Amino acid sequence: MAQDVRDDIRSFIAAKFPGMSFTDDEDIFALGFVNSLFAMELVMFIEKTFGTKIPNEELRLENFRTVVLMAELVQRRAEAAESGAVT
Amino acid sequence: MTAGTRAAIPDLATIARFVDEEVAPYADEWERTEKIPAEVQGRLGELGLWGPFLPAESGGTGMDMVTLGRIHEEIGRGCSSVRSLLTVHTMVTATVQRWGSAEQGERWLPALAAGGTLGAFCLTEPEFSGSDATVAGTTAVAESDGWVLNGAKKWITGGQRAGVLLVFAETESGMSAFLVPADHPGVRVSPVSRVLGTAASMLAAIEFDHVRLGPDALVGPPGWAAGTVMTGALDLGRYSVASGSVGIIRAALDASAAYTSQRRAGGGLLRDQPQIRAKISEMVTARNAARLLCAEAGRLKDAGDPATIMATWVAKYFASTAAARAASDAVQIHGANGCGPDYPVARLYRDAKVMEIIEGSTQIQELTIADEAYREVAR
């Protein structure tokens, strides 16, 4: 699952910023092409694609810096849903 | 309706009748007096229009965004100032719903849904434009028992009557959003009058002088994520303004068709002149195209699709510029009558110009939409 999630996230970012090259563990914010508009799109993409709602406490820059970190966020949300912590 | 009770589901025919009978006939008077009567605020509450997208338990009806857009179009057809109040109120209400804590929701949402408490969106400052979204002027300093807010905001729609202010301020961790009761000690509200358009939207300048807030005033995450809170609210505001702009086009078309059907010149009715028919045709096409763009943006919102962000930019860009053209043409069609107070088109013209500035100016939209176009080409 983790690899599929990373693929989906990477594809979304790459489609938004063609010509930019980045690895899954590279800080996309440090590359300088992320603005608040894209951040909003990113949050909506993750919520829609992976059927989750990102709570306030998870909406931190640290969770969105890299593809790997975003995939881990998705994983945590899935585990929380399975455990019944979220509906 | 009282706070916490479920509103009836509003239907478009009822809203249209309300606009025809209780809004449009009075819009010029409200513009002159620079105020929307409190009774109208109450009527909007009775019709369930302040927060219909909220779930039933919060006083809404769970309305979809496409329908919400059509309602804001309908209200915008009658009076852009009323629609502006709905716009900012919607931005605040949706922010509390999406990002607010359970306690904030319980405290504010029922009153916001009923319209007993109006919300105002406080981003733009006297020295910092809303387009920049830099909030360096207003600060919120964390203290042991909460926050201390200092600064000033300007051009705040509905600020003269709002009960709760959604204020963006700079904190140690970056920009953050706060819910501030308008009657809180240290909050000073001053009317902004003699504005070009939407003159009845009760604009205000608001100063915050050592306003002490509890820790529960912070809404949504602080710092970086507050940009998402702001972007989400502005996206919804942009959608409402786009929909309201469709309403302006409709009003310009209705007025122009009626006027040219009875006004004679050169031995015949104005409606028979090819130049008039061209302008009428352009208005019809603009109305239909803008409405379709709004519907697409609304459909994507309902689907939770991130493409709605750009679709809304495009809808607002098209609808607001088309509204300005339609209103300008309507004034031209009316001739000298279009410049006076006896026909609604001068007000439409003033209001339409404002649509090209608020919730993302035409120039900001051109930068953003063109950026997307270049990305599409590069794929």
Side-chain angles (χ1 to χ4, degrees):
Chain A
M1 174 194 173
Q3 185 58 49
D4 292 343
V5 170
R6 285 203 297 271
D7 289 345
D8 287 343
I9 295 171
R10 190 187 322 106
S11 296
F12 179 74
I13 298 170
K16 280 286 174 185
F17 299 98
M20 296 292 297
S21 61
F22 57 94
T23 60
D24 282 2
D25 57 359
E26 195 165 4
D27 186 342
I28 60 171
F29 289 83
L31 295 173
F33 59 84
V34 176
N35 57 22
S36 63
L37 201 66
F38 178 65
M40 181 74 197
E41 292 174 321
L42 202 50
V43 169
M44 290 185 73
F45 167 78
I46 289 174
E47 290 189 337
K48 178 177 172 57
T49 305
F50 305 109
T52 186
K53 183 181 176 187
I54 302 172
N56 287 357
E57 60 271 21
E58 290 278 31
L59 198 63
R60 301 192 308 268
L61 178 59
E62 293 70 29
N63 288 338
F64 291 85
R65 284 193 183 280
T66 72
V67 171
V68 169
L69 289 169
M70 284 184 262
E72 290 174 358
L73 168 62
V74 171
Q75 183 67 32
R76 281 198 301 280
R77 299 309 304 152
E79 289 169 0
E82 284 175 11
S83 70
V86 294
T87 56
Chain B
M1 193 182 94
T2 57
T5 61
R6 179 170 180 158
I9 297 174
D11 67 273
L12 282 170
T14 301
I15 306 306
R17 194 162 53 249
F18 165 67
V19 169
D20 287 337
E21 297 174 358
E22 302 180 53
V23 177
Y26 305 100
D28 287 334
E29 177 188 337
W30 298 340
E31 184 192 43
R32 280 193 297 276
T33 57
E34 299 188 340
K35 189 174 290 184
I36 301 297
E39 300 77 49
V40 176
Q41 183 180 333
R43 284 288 291 133
L44 289 165
E46 290 170 6
L47 291 164
L49 300 186
W50 288 112
F53 52 88
L54 291 171
E57 58 267 28
S58 297
T61 56
M63 179 182 285
D64 63 274
M65 285 292 141
V66 173
T67 305
L68 185 77
R70 289 299 300 273
I71 287 176
H72 285 207
E73 171 193 323
E74 203 63 50
I75 300 293
R77 177 173 68 81
C79 177
S80 287
S81 289
V82 175
R83 199 270 313 137
S84 290
L85 295 179
L86 279 178
T87 297
V88 295
H89 185 86
T90 296
M91 294 163 74
V92 174
T93 303
T95 297
V96 177
Q97 180 200 15
R98 173 64 179 86
W99 305 105
S101 64
E103 292 74 20
Q104 287 169 330
E106 287 172 13
R107 177 180 180 187
W108 293 112
L109 288 180
L112 288 167
T117 296
L118 289 192
F121 186 80
C122 303
L123 176 64
T124 305
E125 305 199 353
E127 303 300 327
F128 297 94
S129 78
S131 296
D132 191 2
T134 303
V135 198
T138 297
T139 60
V141 176
E143 297 203 341
S144 59
D145 57 347
W147 301 86
V148 177
L149 188 67
N150 278 290
K153 300 288 179 178
K154 196 172 182 185
W155 310 115
I156 305 306
T157 297
Q160 296 178 36
R161 192 176 288 164
V164 61
L165 313 171
L166 179 62
V167 181
F168 288 85
E170 196 70 25
T171 67
E172 190 174 24
S173 50
M175 184 178 66
S176 302
F178 297 88
L179 287 168
V180 182
D183 60 357
H184 212 67
V187 177
R188 284 197 298 272
V189 178
S190 307
V192 175
S193 59
R194 296 174 60 84
V195 293
L196 171 70
T198 60
S201 62
M202 298 180 287
L203 290 164
I206 303 179
E207 292 176 79
F208 304 95
D209 184 10
H210 292 86
V211 177
R212 304 193 74 86
L213 303 168
D216 58 342
L218 180 71
V219 60
W224 168 78
T228 304
V229 176
M230 180 190 70
T231 302
L234 286 172
D235 172 67
L236 201 47
R238 207 166 283 131
Y239 177 61
S240 171
V241 170
S243 302
S245 296
V246 180
I248 292 176
I249 299 170
R250 288 177 59 194
L253 172 60
D254 291 348
S256 298
Y259 185 79
T260 57
S261 293
Q262 53 84 31
R263 183 77 171 178
R264 302 186 73 84
L269 290 170
L270 278 180
R271 64 177 291 170
D272 295 326
Q273 295 185 6
Q275 288 172 308
I276 298 295
R277 299 183 84 85
K279 289 189 186 301
I280 296 293
S281 298
E282 286 170 12
M283 290 183 200
V284 169
T285 306
R287 175 199 63 192
N288 293 359
R291 182 183 276 165
L292 284 170
L293 288 171
C294 288
E296 175 66 358
R299 184 189 67 77
L300 291 167
K301 285 185 199 313
D302 287 327
D305 193 319
T308 190
I309 304 283
M310 193 51 62
T312 303
W313 279 96
V314 172
K316 197 271 185 178
Y317 178 62
F318 182 87
S320 61
T321 53
R325 280 194 306 276
S328 175
D329 282 346
V331 171
Q332 195 72 22
I333 286 170
H334 283 68
N337 281 331
C339 302
D342 297 331
Y343 293 84
V345 292
R347 171 175 47 82
L348 297 176
Y349 184 63
R350 291 188 287 272
D351 289 346
K353 186 61 205 172
V354 174
M355 300 310 110
E356 292 190 301
I357 294 170
I358 57 174
E359 320 306 0
S361 69
T362 296
Q363 288 66 37
I364 289 287
Q365 290 168 332
E366 288 168 347
L367 292 175
T368 306
I369 294 168
D371 276 350
E372 178 72 1
Y374 286 116
R375 282 196 290 270
E376 286 176 2
V377 169
R379 278 172 206 157

